[in-house]
Amino acid sequence: MLSRNRKIAGWVLAGLIAAMLLFSSYAKFMMPEMAANFERWGLGNWRIIVACGEIIATLLFLFPRTNIYGVLLLSAHMGGAIIVHMSHAEPFIIQLAILVLVWVTGFVRNPFILATLK
């Protein structure tokens, strides 16, 4: 059973991360700059699929019953984003920070993960 403070912290962190990722998905759909980035990276045809995957992973991450699956999917998603940025010699600190926040939130919302590591 999670303490009240831990639940609140988990929801606040999850909400902030979800807002960032949903805005990122929106940008992939609507902003021409993102389309140009994906074209430059050679991923022009994958932009919509990446955005849809990001939305699905974010929704899974947001809800308590499925948040562990969201953590895993968002880890893969952010890992892919880091690799794309690294392979094009672009900064990837934002993607790395989001990845770390996803894992911190996963540990806050799922304390059994740390218990199984002992």
Side-chain angles (χ1 to χ4, degrees), residues 34-86:
M34 289 297 284
N37 284 343
F38 273 77
E39 288 294 332
R40 189 177 72 241
W41 297 328
L43 300 170
N45 297 332
W46 291 92
R47 181 174 50 94
I48 301 300
I49 294 169
V50 169
C52 290
E54 190 171 23
I55 291 169
I56 292 167
T58 301
L59 291 176
L60 287 172
F61 175 74
L62 193 57
F63 297 110
R65 290 187 70 135
T66 59
N67 69 21
I68 195 68
Y69 302 115
V71 168
L72 295 174
L73 288 173
L74 286 175
S75 295
H77 175 75
M78 296 314 296
I82 290 168
I83 294 298
V84 167
H85 285 275
M86 285 176 74

